[in-house]
Amino acid sequence: MEASSTPPASARADASSPPFTGKLDGRLTEHGAQAEGQLRAGGERFGAGLDAKIEGAITRAEGQVRYTLEGSVSGFVQANAAARGIGVDARVQEGGRARFEASLPEQAARDVDLRSINPFDPASMPVGTRISMDAAHTGSVEVGTRLRQLATRDRVGHEEGVQVSIEALEGQRVRVVAGPREAVEAYHGVGLKLGPASAMLGREDRVSGGTLHTAQFDLSNPQGRQAYDAFLRSGVMPERDAPGLSEVSTVSRLDMRSEGRVDLGLGSRSTSLSTGANSGQAVRAVHGDGSAEVSRTLRYREHDVSLQIDQSFAADGTPGERSYRYRFTPDATQAGQLNAVYGREGATPFQAGRETSLRFSEQEMAGLQAQTLRAHQNIARTGGNDAIRLLAEPPPQGGQRTPERFAVDLIHNPSTLASLPSTLYTVSLRAGEEARGRPLSFLPLPGQVEGAAVQRPQAPAPGNPPQPAPRVDFGTAAASPALGQGGHPDTPLFAAIRERAPAGVSEDHLARATLLARQEGITADRLQQVGVHDQTLWLVGNQPGQRASVDLRQPAPQAHETGAQLLAMQGPPDQAQQQERQASMARG
């Protein structure tokens, strides 16, 4: 019988079907387990993975013992397909994490069994004990497409969580800080891929928000104990001061950021460049007596200047005047321009490379707007200045430009690149009375300088040449009292912030928070609230408008540099009191 060379039908079917290949990998790690699986069929690939871990630690530092327990779990599913120059890939990821921390003084840690500490029984918590709990759920969806050389990528992610901190104080009192948070971010990009090289232009947007509630419960008061028990049962914090309740406040926050990006790749190497970002923040603080403050902070990609607009409201809702504060770090040219305008009697409040603030009341901003109009009228006689003209003319949408709109337009004018210092310099130089043949002179502008070491030249002794203005030398700052040690005037405030801040906040960020709190008029005895939400350290004082925040994701100057800057801000007592009065008036 002659053998046939034609394979059977079943064999032909197997040969035409794409081969399936798969891989499954799982392993135990020091603190958890990981598993990942992959499946490939022709041009399609599928994958899934799971990662879970839990770890704990006991640390001792600065007279405190901290017990920490953290756990997280995350999983993903992804798929890729490609055929005839067309490709699609997608990835879905979900996860969650939780963190528990108990911190108590070393002496109490020796005398008390940790297992006996229970926030539902505050009597089991020694004075100085703090229990913190933080939980969050995260997820993201990412999709990419390719059509020959054209590529797109879209990603949407979200996070929502809640944190609670309970601290035992003296006198049978408990301080509670609690609140939820939520964030959503999205990215959309379009680009080209030519062989090993790729380029993608995209935009990333992020919106996040949260609410931080604070209250002190007097557990010796029946009403205070009842309110605390109600919080433990329902998670709802009180909104007003009452018998047994004090320092009640609610801080609500909304952050927005939009950034352009250019992603470049060549083989296995890649880099990402930012084309600039716009960001904004809105904060509302409500106190236990019903009074409130609203603060908005804006920053535009045209200039590295932030504008904070504050307004207070009485308990009956009556609004107070707004105040405006610009925060920026001038270069040498800008510092010279601003010193020419605000350097009264030869003082140099602005220095290159040092962050400084300019604060305006509502009336002062209206006065600056009027001076800008006069400067425009003077300039228009002989020429033109686009930056001044656009600030003086009615807005494109019609109507009148309010002082608030004018304050925003000073740093947000896309059609001109004039900086805030340059604009103020021009207004000061051209807002006065001008006449042919008369030299121009600087007209004083409204506004209060904050956060600067005001240096005034000293009259030289007879026969001696003038001496240059003193400077802060960070390299020799160690010769002065260090922040956090005795002898530094801001050590009490620094210690109060460090005591109430969560573990893990660096000394550099705590020092930065001390500087910003000092600029807001917050002292150790005025510090009411300290908390971390969405990687931001928040401080709230007990006076209207006293708020400060530090982004923990951004590097902060070294603590010794900030301490030296705080020392440089020290002035004579009468000058410090005058600055505090001016800040209080600006806050309304």
Side-chain angles (χ1 to χ4, degrees):
M1 182 175 180
E2 187 175 346
S4 173
S5 62
T6 303
S10 60
R12 291 198 306 269
D14 291 342
S16 61
S17 301
F20 284 90
T21 60
K23 179 181 179 182
L24 181 63
D25 182 24
R27 61 184 180 275
L28 296 177
T29 64
E30 182 180 1
H31 300 290
Q34 294 178 334
E36 185 172 344
Q38 295 181 357
L39 181 64
R40 183 166 185 169
E44 292 79 33
R45 291 182 297 172
F46 305 90
L50 183 68
D51 185 0
K53 64 180 180 180
I54 184 170
E55 54 186 330
I58 301 177
T59 58
R60 290 175 170 84
E62 301 171 358
Q64 295 281 315
V65 179
R66 291 186 173 91
Y67 302 83
T68 305
L69 183 64
E70 293 184 77
S72 64
V73 59
S74 63
F76 72 89
V77 177
Q78 64 183 21
N80 307 76
R84 298 181 179 180
I86 301 175
V88 178
D89 63 87
R91 180 184 177 96
V92 178
Q93 185 165 339
E94 294 286 336
R97 63 178 184 272
R99 187 176 192 272
F100 172 86
E101 178 183 284
S103 172
L104 61 161
E106 280 191 285
Q107 181 61 42
R110 289 192 292 264
D111 300 339
V112 176
D113 183 359
L114 176 65
R115 293 171 295 181
S116 67
I117 296 178
N118 179 8
F120 289 89
D121 180 17
S124 68
M125 300 172 58
V127 173
T129 300
R130 178 189 297 163
I131 296 178
S132 301
M133 295 162 282
D134 192 333
H137 169 258
T138 61
S140 64
V141 177
E142 186 172 359
V143 178
T145 63
R146 298 181 303 280
L147 178 59
R148 294 183 173 85
Q149 286 79 31
L150 182 65
T152 68
R153 182 153 299 276
D154 292 272
R155 182 180 65 252
V156 177
H158 71 276
E159 176 182 350
E160 52 185 335
V162 64
Q163 73 172 40
V164 178
S165 174
I166 302 174
E167 181 180 3
L169 308 176
E170 295 181 351
Q172 299 186 53
R173 292 177 298 117
V174 174
R175 178 189 293 119
V176 177
V177 179
R181 66 180 184 274
E182 186 174 4
V184 177
E185 60 181 16
Y187 171 82
H188 175 70
V190 178
L192 297 172
K193 182 173 177 61
L194 301 173
S198 64
M200 180 165 288
L201 178 65
R203 193 184 79 176
E204 188 170 40
D205 299 311
R206 177 180 172 86
V207 179
S208 62
T211 302
L212 202 62
H213 303 275
T214 301
Q216 275 195 23
F217 299 84
D218 184 354
L219 303 181
S220 65
N221 184 298
Q223 291 175 273
R225 181 56 193 252
Q226 183 180 5
Y228 181 72
D229 291 340
F231 160 72
L232 292 177
R233 288 194 306 269
S234 65
V236 178
M237 290 282 285
E239 297 180 353
R240 293 293 182 95
D241 289 339
L245 293 171
S246 61
E247 297 188 12
V248 174
S249 68
T250 301
V251 178
S252 302
R253 187 196 76 254
L254 178 66
D255 294 283
M256 297 162 286
R257 179 180 175 86
S258 179
E259 181 178 12
R261 285 174 42 185
V262 177
D263 297 312
L264 304 175
L266 182 62
S268 60
R269 297 184 178 183
S270 63
T271 186
S272 181
L273 305 175
S274 173
T275 61
N278 295 334
S279 62
Q281 181 185 87
V283 180
R284 179 179 176 86
V286 181
H287 301 284
D289 61 357
S291 62
E293 294 92 36
V294 175
S295 176
R296 290 171 294 150
T297 303
L298 306 172
R299 183 185 291 270
Y300 296 99
R301 69 183 69 200
E302 293 99 315
H303 308 296
D304 191 18
V305 179
S306 67
L307 167 62
Q308 180 176 319
I309 305 174
D310 295 326
Q311 187 174 21
S312 60
F313 295 83
D316 61 0
T318 303
E321 283 195 352
R322 295 180 180 88
S323 67
Y324 307 88
R325 183 174 65 184
Y326 299 95
R327 179 178 285 135
F328 53 93
T329 302
D331 57 27
T333 300
Q334 294 170 341
Q337 292 174 328
L338 292 169
N339 285 329
V341 178
Y342 289 97
R344 311 288 191 264
E345 300 177 0
T348 56
F350 296 91
Q351 297 183 30
R354 178 176 298 175
E355 185 179 81
T356 316
S357 298
L358 266 176
R359 186 188 287 270
F360 298 83
S361 66
E362 185 87 8
Q363 293 181 346
E364 288 175 327
M365 186 58 67
L368 179 61
Q369 185 178 6
Q371 288 177 306
T372 303
L373 177 59
R374 288 197 298 271
H376 167 62
Q377 293 169 346
N378 288 335
I379 294 173
R381 297 191 184 101
T382 57
N385 182 302
D386 287 341
I388 303 301
R389 177 181 58 81
L390 292 172
L391 290 170
E393 292 180 344
Q397 61 271 27
Q400 296 293 322
R401 179 178 273 109
T402 64
E404 180 179 2
R405 182 69 257 174
F406 173 78
V408 174
D409 289 343
L410 276 173
I411 63 168
H412 181 45
N413 204 336
S415 60
T416 174
L417 296 179
S419 65
L420 176 65
S422 174
T423 299
L424 294 176
Y425 180 87
T426 302
V427 171
S428 175
L429 189 62
R430 301 302 303 270
E433 295 292 336
E434 296 185 4
R436 185 182 300 274
R438 181 190 302 174
L440 298 176
S441 60
F442 291 102
L443 186 70
L445 295 184
Q448 305 296 327
V449 182
E450 298 180 336
V454 180
Q455 300 177 352
R456 300 185 182 278
Q458 302 295 323
N464 292 335
Q467 298 297 317
R471 297 181 58 194
V472 177
D473 186 353
F474 293 129
T476 60
S480 302
L483 183 63
Q485 299 180 354
H488 196 293
D490 293 296
T491 288
L493 175 58
F494 175 80
I497 296 173
R498 180 170 58 185
E499 177 185 357
R500 298 173 62 173
V505 180
S506 70
E507 296 283 301
D508 294 342
H509 285 108
L510 292 173
R512 174 67 176 168
T514 303
L515 173 64
L516 297 180
R518 165 79 181 282
Q519 293 175 349
E520 290 292 335
I522 301 176
T523 59
D525 57 347
R526 292 181 181 177
L527 183 64
Q528 178 175 328
Q529 180 177 335
V530 178
V532 172
H533 250 195
D534 194 26
Q535 295 297 304
T536 300
L537 177 66
W538 285 92
L539 292 82
V540 178
N542 60 9
Q543 301 295 318
Q546 290 184 334
R547 292 179 305 281
S549 63
V550 177
D551 188 346
L552 301 180
R553 291 164 294 198
Q554 301 297 324
Q558 295 185 8
H560 74 273
E561 294 184 0
T562 306
Q565 186 175 353
L566 283 163
L567 285 175
M569 290 170 57
Q570 297 293 328
D574 58 340
Q575 178 183 341
Q577 293 171 4
Q578 181 182 4
Q579 291 177 347
E580 173 60 22
R581 285 195 299 269
Q582 292 171 347
S584 299
M585 293 175 61
R587 287 192 294 266

PDB file of all heavy atoms in Angstrom, residues 57-84:
ATOM      1  N   ALA A  57       6.879  47.774  61.443  1.00  0.00           N
ATOM      2  CA  ALA A  57       8.161  48.259  61.953  1.00  0.00           C
ATOM      3  C   ALA A  57       7.948  48.949  63.288  1.00  0.00           C
ATOM      4  O   ALA A  57       6.858  49.471  63.576  1.00  0.00           O
ATOM      5  CB  ALA A  57       8.822  49.212  60.959  1.00  0.00           C
ATOM      6  N   ILE A  58       8.983  48.931  64.103  1.00  0.00           N
ATOM      7  CA  ILE A  58       9.014  49.673  65.364  1.00  0.00           C
ATOM      8  C   ILE A  58      10.226  50.582  65.315  1.00  0.00           C
ATOM      9  O   ILE A  58      11.351  50.109  65.118  1.00  0.00           O
ATOM     10  CB  ILE A  58       9.095  48.732  66.580  1.00  0.00           C
ATOM     11  CG1 ILE A  58       7.900  47.772  66.609  1.00  0.00           C
ATOM     12  CG2 ILE A  58       9.162  49.539  67.866  1.00  0.00           C
ATOM     13  CD1 ILE A  58       7.959  46.769  67.744  1.00  0.00           C
ATOM     14  N   THR A  59      10.016  51.881  65.457  1.00  0.00           N
ATOM     15  CA  THR A  59      11.108  52.850  65.404  1.00  0.00           C
ATOM     16  C   THR A  59      11.077  53.719  66.643  1.00  0.00           C
ATOM     17  O   THR A  59      10.004  53.968  67.223  1.00  0.00           O
ATOM     18  CB  THR A  59      11.014  53.730  64.150  1.00  0.00           C
ATOM     19  OG1 THR A  59       9.747  54.410  64.139  1.00  0.00           O
ATOM     20  CG2 THR A  59      11.118  52.885  62.884  1.00  0.00           C
ATOM     21  N   ARG A  60      12.247  54.210  67.039  1.00  0.00           N
ATOM     22  CA  ARG A  60      12.375  55.113  68.175  1.00  0.00           C
ATOM     23  C   ARG A  60      13.165  56.333  67.734  1.00  0.00           C
ATOM     24  O   ARG A  60      14.261  56.203  67.202  1.00  0.00           O
ATOM     25  CB  ARG A  60      13.078  54.428  69.343  1.00  0.00           C
ATOM     26  CG  ARG A  60      12.249  53.349  70.020  1.00  0.00           C
ATOM     27  CD  ARG A  60      13.030  52.616  71.091  1.00  0.00           C
ATOM     28  NE  ARG A  60      12.176  51.757  71.886  1.00  0.00           N
ATOM     29  CZ  ARG A  60      11.821  50.530  71.552  1.00  0.00           C
ATOM     30  NH1 ARG A  60      12.271  50.026  70.404  1.00  0.00           N
ATOM     31  NH2 ARG A  60      11.033  49.817  72.325  1.00  0.00           N
ATOM     32  N   ALA A  61      12.586  57.510  67.957  1.00  0.00           N
ATOM     33  CA  ALA A  61      13.253  58.759  67.590  1.00  0.00           C
ATOM     34  C   ALA A  61      12.602  59.899  68.337  1.00  0.00           C
ATOM     35  O   ALA A  61      11.367  59.934  68.504  1.00  0.00           O
ATOM     36  CB  ALA A  61      13.175  58.996  66.078  1.00  0.00           C
ATOM     37  N   GLU A  62      13.446  60.833  68.807  1.00  0.00           N
ATOM     38  CA  GLU A  62      12.983  62.065  69.442  1.00  0.00           C
ATOM     39  C   GLU A  62      12.025  61.787  70.592  1.00  0.00           C
ATOM     40  O   GLU A  62      11.005  62.461  70.777  1.00  0.00           O
ATOM     41  CB  GLU A  62      12.308  62.963  68.404  1.00  0.00           C
ATOM     42  CG  GLU A  62      13.223  63.335  67.254  1.00  0.00           C
ATOM     43  CD  GLU A  62      12.494  64.038  66.131  1.00  0.00           C
ATOM     44  OE1 GLU A  62      11.265  64.202  66.241  1.00  0.00           O
ATOM     45  OE2 GLU A  62      13.164  64.424  65.161  1.00  0.00           O
ATOM     46  N   GLY A  63      12.344  60.749  71.390  1.00  0.00           N
ATOM     47  CA  GLY A  63      11.542  60.455  72.569  1.00  0.00           C
ATOM     48  C   GLY A  63      10.219  59.790  72.286  1.00  0.00           C
ATOM     49  O   GLY A  63       9.380  59.679  73.190  1.00  0.00           O
ATOM     50  N   GLN A  64      10.008  59.325  71.047  1.00  0.00           N
ATOM     51  CA  GLN A  64       8.758  58.687  70.670  1.00  0.00           C
ATOM     52  C   GLN A  64       9.030  57.272  70.176  1.00  0.00           C
ATOM     53  O   GLN A  64      10.064  56.995  69.561  1.00  0.00           O
ATOM     54  CB  GLN A  64       8.054  59.478  69.575  1.00  0.00           C
ATOM     55  CG  GLN A  64       7.590  60.860  69.987  1.00  0.00           C
ATOM     56  CD  GLN A  64       6.308  60.825  70.790  1.00  0.00           C
ATOM     57  OE1 GLN A  64       5.366  60.122  70.442  1.00  0.00           O
ATOM     58  NE2 GLN A  64       6.258  61.592  71.868  1.00  0.00           N
ATOM     59  N   VAL A  65       8.093  56.391  70.437  1.00  0.00           N
ATOM     60  CA  VAL A  65       8.129  55.041  69.880  1.00  0.00           C
ATOM     61  C   VAL A  65       6.965  54.915  68.913  1.00  0.00           C
ATOM     62  O   VAL A  65       5.820  55.218  69.268  1.00  0.00           O
ATOM     63  CB  VAL A  65       8.024  53.978  70.986  1.00  0.00           C
ATOM     64  CG1 VAL A  65       8.035  52.576  70.371  1.00  0.00           C
ATOM     65  CG2 VAL A  65       9.166  54.121  71.970  1.00  0.00           C
ATOM     66  N   ARG A  66       7.247  54.477  67.695  1.00  0.00           N
ATOM     67  CA  ARG A  66       6.215  54.370  66.662  1.00  0.00           C
ATOM     68  C   ARG A  66       6.092  52.922  66.206  1.00  0.00           C
ATOM     69  O   ARG A  66       7.080  52.291  65.828  1.00  0.00           O
ATOM     70  CB  ARG A  66       6.537  55.273  65.472  1.00  0.00           C
ATOM     71  CG  ARG A  66       6.437  56.753  65.773  1.00  0.00           C
ATOM     72  CD  ARG A  66       6.632  57.582  64.509  1.00  0.00           C
ATOM     73  NE  ARG A  66       6.382  58.991  64.754  1.00  0.00           N
ATOM     74  CZ  ARG A  66       7.320  59.875  65.129  1.00  0.00           C
ATOM     75  NH1 ARG A  66       8.559  59.448  65.285  1.00  0.00           N
ATOM     76  NH2 ARG A  66       7.011  61.131  65.335  1.00  0.00           N
ATOM     77  N   TYR A  67       4.874  52.436  66.235  1.00  0.00           N
ATOM     78  CA  TYR A  67       4.543  51.112  65.729  1.00  0.00           C
ATOM     79  C   TYR A  67       3.769  51.309  64.427  1.00  0.00           C
ATOM     80  O   TYR A  67       2.712  51.946  64.423  1.00  0.00           O
ATOM     81  CB  TYR A  67       3.694  50.339  66.733  1.00  0.00           C
ATOM     82  CG  TYR A  67       4.341  50.177  68.091  1.00  0.00           C
ATOM     83  CD1 TYR A  67       4.266  51.179  69.044  1.00  0.00           C
ATOM     84  CD2 TYR A  67       5.026  49.010  68.415  1.00  0.00           C
ATOM     85  CE1 TYR A  67       4.853  51.041  70.298  1.00  0.00           C
ATOM     86  CE2 TYR A  67       5.621  48.858  69.660  1.00  0.00           C
ATOM     87  CZ  TYR A  67       5.532  49.876  70.603  1.00  0.00           C
ATOM     88  OH  TYR A  67       6.121  49.730  71.825  1.00  0.00           O
ATOM     89  N   THR A  68       4.288  50.765  63.347  1.00  0.00           N
ATOM     90  CA  THR A  68       3.693  50.982  62.034  1.00  0.00           C
ATOM     91  C   THR A  68       3.359  49.652  61.382  1.00  0.00           C
ATOM     92  O   THR A  68       4.164  48.707  61.427  1.00  0.00           O
ATOM     93  CB  THR A  68       4.657  51.768  61.117  1.00  0.00           C
ATOM     94  OG1 THR A  68       5.042  52.980  61.759  1.00  0.00           O
ATOM     95  CG2 THR A  68       3.977  52.118  59.804  1.00  0.00           C
ATOM     96  N   LEU A  69       2.176  49.581  60.777  1.00  0.00           N
ATOM     97  CA  LEU A  69       1.756  48.404  60.024  1.00  0.00           C
ATOM     98  C   LEU A  69       1.142  48.882  58.710  1.00  0.00           C
ATOM     99  O   LEU A  69       0.216  49.696  58.709  1.00  0.00           O
ATOM    100  CB  LEU A  69       0.732  47.600  60.820  1.00  0.00           C
ATOM    101  CG  LEU A  69       0.244  46.284  60.177  1.00  0.00           C
ATOM    102  CD1 LEU A  69       1.402  45.299  60.055  1.00  0.00           C
ATOM    103  CD2 LEU A  69      -0.891  45.681  60.993  1.00  0.00           C
ATOM    104  N   GLU A  70       1.687  48.400  57.588  1.00  0.00           N
ATOM    105  CA  GLU A  70       1.216  48.810  56.268  1.00  0.00           C
ATOM    106  C   GLU A  70       0.912  47.581  55.423  1.00  0.00           C
ATOM    107  O   GLU A  70       1.629  46.579  55.496  1.00  0.00           O
ATOM    108  CB  GLU A  70       2.269  49.658  55.552  1.00  0.00           C
ATOM    109  CG  GLU A  70       2.534  50.998  56.178  1.00  0.00           C
ATOM    110  CD  GLU A  70       3.516  51.829  55.373  1.00  0.00           C
ATOM    111  OE1 GLU A  70       3.107  52.383  54.335  1.00  0.00           O
ATOM    112  OE2 GLU A  70       4.691  51.891  55.772  1.00  0.00           O
ATOM    113  N   GLY A  71      -0.143  47.685  54.635  1.00  0.00           N
ATOM    114  CA  GLY A  71      -0.495  46.609  53.729  1.00  0.00           C
ATOM    115  C   GLY A  71      -1.024  47.160  52.420  1.00  0.00           C
ATOM    116  O   GLY A  71      -1.622  48.240  52.384  1.00  0.00           O
ATOM    117  N   SER A  72      -0.774  46.439  51.335  1.00  0.00           N
ATOM    118  CA  SER A  72      -1.261  46.885  50.031  1.00  0.00           C
ATOM    119  C   SER A  72      -1.503  45.665  49.151  1.00  0.00           C
ATOM    120  O   SER A  72      -0.876  44.619  49.335  1.00  0.00           O
ATOM    121  CB  SER A  72      -0.265  47.824  49.359  1.00  0.00           C
ATOM    122  OG  SER A  72       0.948  47.158  49.063  1.00  0.00           O
ATOM    123  N   VAL A  73      -2.410  45.822  48.206  1.00  0.00           N
ATOM    124  CA  VAL A  73      -2.683  44.789  47.221  1.00  0.00           C
ATOM    125  C   VAL A  73      -3.027  45.480  45.918  1.00  0.00           C
ATOM    126  O   VAL A  73      -3.724  46.494  45.905  1.00  0.00           O
ATOM    127  CB  VAL A  73      -3.833  43.863  47.671  1.00  0.00           C
ATOM    128  CG1 VAL A  73      -5.112  44.634  47.898  1.00  0.00           C
ATOM    129  CG2 VAL A  73      -4.055  42.739  46.665  1.00  0.00           C
ATOM    130  N   SER A  74      -2.505  44.971  44.808  1.00  0.00           N
ATOM    131  CA  SER A  74      -2.790  45.552  43.499  1.00  0.00           C
ATOM    132  C   SER A  74      -2.807  44.441  42.461  1.00  0.00           C
ATOM    133  O   SER A  74      -2.091  43.441  42.574  1.00  0.00           O
ATOM    134  CB  SER A  74      -1.747  46.606  43.121  1.00  0.00           C
ATOM    135  OG  SER A  74      -0.460  46.030  42.996  1.00  0.00           O
ATOM    136  N   GLY A  75      -3.644  44.625  41.454  1.00  0.00           N
ATOM    137  CA  GLY A  75      -3.741  43.662  40.375  1.00  0.00           C
ATOM    138  C   GLY A  75      -3.941  44.354  39.044  1.00  0.00           C
ATOM    139  O   GLY A  75      -4.420  45.490  38.994  1.00  0.00           O
ATOM    140  N   PHE A  76      -3.556  43.684  37.960  1.00  0.00           N
ATOM    141  CA  PHE A  76      -3.700  44.293  36.642  1.00  0.00           C
ATOM    142  C   PHE A  76      -4.079  43.226  35.625  1.00  0.00           C
ATOM    143  O   PHE A  76      -3.798  42.022  35.799  1.00  0.00           O
ATOM    144  CB  PHE A  76      -2.406  44.996  36.208  1.00  0.00           C
ATOM    145  CG  PHE A  76      -1.288  44.061  35.836  1.00  0.00           C
ATOM    146  CD1 PHE A  76      -1.147  43.590  34.532  1.00  0.00           C
ATOM    147  CD2 PHE A  76      -0.378  43.639  36.789  1.00  0.00           C
ATOM    148  CE1 PHE A  76      -0.120  42.724  34.188  1.00  0.00           C
ATOM    149  CE2 PHE A  76       0.650  42.761  36.456  1.00  0.00           C
ATOM    150  CZ  PHE A  76       0.781  42.307  35.152  1.00  0.00           C
ATOM    151  N   VAL A  77      -4.708  43.690  34.563  1.00  0.00           N
ATOM    152  CA  VAL A  77      -5.010  42.877  33.390  1.00  0.00           C
ATOM    153  C   VAL A  77      -4.640  43.705  32.171  1.00  0.00           C
ATOM    154  O   VAL A  77      -5.008  44.885  32.087  1.00  0.00           O
ATOM    155  CB  VAL A  77      -6.508  42.487  33.331  1.00  0.00           C
ATOM    156  CG1 VAL A  77      -6.787  41.700  32.050  1.00  0.00           C
ATOM    157  CG2 VAL A  77      -6.894  41.664  34.543  1.00  0.00           C
ATOM    158  N   GLN A  78      -3.903  43.128  31.249  1.00  0.00           N
ATOM    159  CA  GLN A  78      -3.494  43.870  30.069  1.00  0.00           C
ATOM    160  C   GLN A  78      -3.582  42.986  28.829  1.00  0.00           C
ATOM    161  O   GLN A  78      -3.539  41.750  28.922  1.00  0.00           O
ATOM    162  CB  GLN A  78      -2.074  44.413  30.215  1.00  0.00           C
ATOM    163  CG  GLN A  78      -1.000  43.355  30.316  1.00  0.00           C
ATOM    164  CD  GLN A  78       0.368  43.960  30.521  1.00  0.00           C
ATOM    165  OE1 GLN A  78       0.498  45.097  30.968  1.00  0.00           O
ATOM    166  NE2 GLN A  78       1.408  43.201  30.183  1.00  0.00           N
ATOM    167  N   ALA A  79      -3.748  43.656  27.667  1.00  0.00           N
ATOM    168  CA  ALA A  79      -3.858  42.936  26.400  1.00  0.00           C
ATOM    169  C   ALA A  79      -3.221  43.777  25.304  1.00  0.00           C
ATOM    170  O   ALA A  79      -3.299  45.011  25.324  1.00  0.00           O
ATOM    171  CB  ALA A  79      -5.322  42.651  26.065  1.00  0.00           C
ATOM    172  N   ASN A  80      -2.578  43.094  24.338  1.00  0.00           N
ATOM    173  CA  ASN A  80      -1.949  43.740  23.185  1.00  0.00           C
ATOM    174  C   ASN A  80      -2.305  42.963  21.932  1.00  0.00           C
ATOM    175  O   ASN A  80      -2.327  41.731  21.938  1.00  0.00           O
ATOM    176  CB  ASN A  80      -0.423  43.790  23.331  1.00  0.00           C
ATOM    177  CG  ASN A  80       0.027  44.396  24.635  1.00  0.00           C
ATOM    178  OD1 ASN A  80      -0.039  43.751  25.672  1.00  0.00           O
ATOM    179  ND2 ASN A  80       0.488  45.624  24.590  1.00  0.00           N
ATOM    180  N   ALA A  81      -2.579  43.699  20.871  1.00  0.00           N
ATOM    181  CA  ALA A  81      -2.869  43.064  19.589  1.00  0.00           C
ATOM    182  C   ALA A  81      -2.308  43.932  18.473  1.00  0.00           C
ATOM    183  O   ALA A  81      -2.363  45.165  18.541  1.00  0.00           O
ATOM    184  CB  ALA A  81      -4.377  42.875  19.398  1.00  0.00           C
ATOM    185  N   ALA A  82      -1.761  43.296  17.432  1.00  0.00           N
ATOM    186  CA  ALA A  82      -1.188  44.030  16.301  1.00  0.00           C
ATOM    187  C   ALA A  82      -1.322  43.199  15.038  1.00  0.00           C
ATOM    188  O   ALA A  82      -1.145  41.973  15.058  1.00  0.00           O
ATOM    189  CB  ALA A  82       0.292  44.351  16.560  1.00  0.00           C
ATOM    190  N   ALA A  83      -1.666  43.897  13.921  1.00  0.00           N
ATOM    191  CA  ALA A  83      -1.780  43.221  12.629  1.00  0.00           C
ATOM    192  C   ALA A  83      -1.794  44.257  11.517  1.00  0.00           C
ATOM    193  O   ALA A  83      -2.532  45.245  11.575  1.00  0.00           O
ATOM    194  CB  ALA A  83      -3.054  42.376  12.569  1.00  0.00           C
ATOM    195  N   ARG A  84      -0.926  44.063  10.494  1.00  0.00           N
ATOM    196  CA  ARG A  84      -0.899  44.910   9.310  1.00  0.00           C
ATOM    197  C   ARG A  84      -0.768  46.399   9.638  1.00  0.00           C
ATOM    198  O   ARG A  84      -1.489  47.240   9.146  1.00  0.00           O
ATOM    199  CB  ARG A  84      -2.154  44.680   8.476  1.00  0.00           C
ATOM    200  CG  ARG A  84      -2.276  43.259   7.956  1.00  0.00           C
ATOM    201  CD  ARG A  84      -3.517  43.075   7.105  1.00  0.00           C
ATOM    202  NE  ARG A  84      -3.599  41.705   6.608  1.00  0.00           N
ATOM    203  CZ  ARG A  84      -4.590  41.264   5.830  1.00  0.00           C
ATOM    204  NH1 ARG A  84      -5.564  42.112   5.465  1.00  0.00           N
ATOM    205  NH2 ARG A  84      -4.602  40.017   5.426  1.00  0.00           N
TER     206      ARG A  84
END
